[in-house]
Amino acid sequence: MKKQIFLLFIFVSSISAYSQMGFGITLGANMTNEVTTFEGLSSSEDVNRSLKGLVIGMNLEMMIPKYDAGLQLSSMYSRKGSNFSYKLDNSSYGLLLDGYRNVEYLEVPVVVKWRFGPRDFKAYVLAGYFWGFALGGTVDIESAIDELNGSVSLPELEKSSKMEFGDEYSKYNFIDHGYTVGAGINVLQTIELGIYYAYSLKSLTNEDSMEDLLKPTYSYNEGDFNNMTRHSTVSVRLTYIISKNKRR
């Protein structure tokens, strides 16, 4: 990680020496799915429905005028949410769980950006990588049914709890990271409207996160679920560029 940060610093320093600087403010909406997989189960099913979220933040772009291409660094507050419906089956379990999660992140995307077209009405594309640092979150269970006991509802599991973030031994992973791409239009060199997609390579959940869904009412053994949940997010963003300064 330190080597990657050092190389990124060198790259940014090189670009900034020959670039035109732009500073902007971004506001947008997220639609997020949770892509969940389970191991150790003879049968499992995950049905997802997106919840609307919010993204707001600041951008610094360094564009080389000759090519109208360069680097964009951002700092974003991003709220991601998703409904989930889990069906977990093996010889010991027959569970139906419905609920939703909301997670708040400080995200730092670093992307390469290219604009093309007429001066006052350009299209743009971008691609890069993002890092996310969890600020907080909640998990809510709306219904829980034990199919092995005659489809008996377990209302005592219907609760809301705060996520506990940390390293791999905590319930939820503190750091998220993955790929991001986007495209849009730039009007009058001042306003940008774009659509973006990001996919997490790091799992939000781990085995211990099932404690928020099942314990203490429904016990389980370590390794029963071994679940991994990654975010898949589509967002629409509006950016207002408030300053530009040309550097030599």
Side-chain angles (χ1 to χ4, degrees):
M1 179 66 75
K2 291 182 179 179
K3 183 179 179 180
Q4 291 176 336
I5 294 175
F6 176 74
L7 292 175
L8 178 62
F9 175 77
I10 297 297
F11 182 57
V12 170
S13 300
S14 301
I15 290 285
S16 63
Y18 302 97
S19 65
Q20 177 176 303
M21 311 292 287
F23 176 76
I25 297 176
T26 294
L27 177 65
N30 287 331
M31 294 293 288
T32 303
N33 284 327
E34 291 183 351
V35 181
T36 303
T37 57
F38 295 92
E39 296 180 6
L41 294 176
S42 58
S43 175
S44 66
E45 182 179 346
D46 171 30
V47 178
N48 249 278
R49 299 175 300 278
S50 298
L51 292 177
K52 293 179 181 178
L54 173 71
V55 58
I56 184 171
M58 300 177 293
N59 308 302
L60 175 65
E61 64 175 36
M62 294 167 283
M63 306 293 286
I64 301 175
K66 181 179 179 180
Y67 304 103
D68 218 354
L71 198 65
Q72 179 175 290
L73 311 176
S74 304
S75 177
M76 302 280 184
Y77 166 82
S78 180
R79 187 180 186 191
K80 301 178 179 181
S82 180
N83 289 289
F84 59 81
S85 180
Y86 295 156
K87 182 177 181 181
L88 310 174
D89 295 315
N90 66 8
S91 58
S92 303
Y93 302 100
L95 300 179
L96 295 175
L97 293 173
D98 290 279
Y100 59 92
R101 269 188 283 255
N102 282 303
V103 191
E104 298 174 330
Y105 286 101
L106 172 64
E107 291 189 346
V108 183
V110 180
V111 300
V112 176
K113 189 173 185 179
W114 176 46
R115 295 194 184 101
F116 53 94
R119 174 183 173 87
D120 291 331
F121 191 86
K122 292 180 177 289
Y124 70 87
V125 292
L126 56 83
Y129 208 81
F130 76 91
W131 290 265
F133 306 91
L135 302 174
T138 58
V139 56
D140 294 79
I141 304 300
E142 296 181 310
S143 68
I145 297 174
D146 182 353
E147 291 187 309
L148 293 185
N149 293 313
S151 297
V152 177
S153 178
L154 302 174
E156 59 268 34
L157 282 177
E158 299 174 21
K159 60 182 182 179
S160 176
S161 58
K162 290 185 178 180
M163 295 180 177
E164 297 179 10
F165 293 94
D167 56 24
E168 59 183 305
Y169 300 105
S170 298
K171 292 181 182 178
Y172 299 94
N173 293 317
F174 171 66
I175 296 178
D176 186 23
H177 58 84
Y179 298 110
T180 182
V181 295
I185 57 173
N186 177 288
V187 181
L188 300 176
Q189 303 182 63
T190 303
I191 297 173
E192 289 190 343
L193 178 64
I195 184 168
Y196 300 78
Y197 174 76
Y199 183 76
S200 299
L201 298 179
K202 178 81 170 181
S203 175
L204 167 66
T205 60
N206 54 42
E207 175 74 17
D208 291 337
S209 65
M210 295 301 292
E211 182 177 347
D212 283 338
L213 306 182
L214 302 177
K215 280 188 174 180
T217 302
Y218 205 98
S219 62
Y220 64 96
N221 299 317
E222 184 177 353
D224 280 348
F225 298 104
N226 193 22
N227 61 311
M228 296 197 333
T229 299
R230 295 183 175 94
H231 284 135
S232 174
T233 304
V234 175
S235 61
V236 177
R237 302 178 189 176
L238 181 67
T239 300
Y240 179 60
I241 301 173
I242 61 177
S243 67
K244 281 191 175 182
N245 296 303
K246 188 172 182 179
R247 297 181 60 181
R248 297 184 182 273

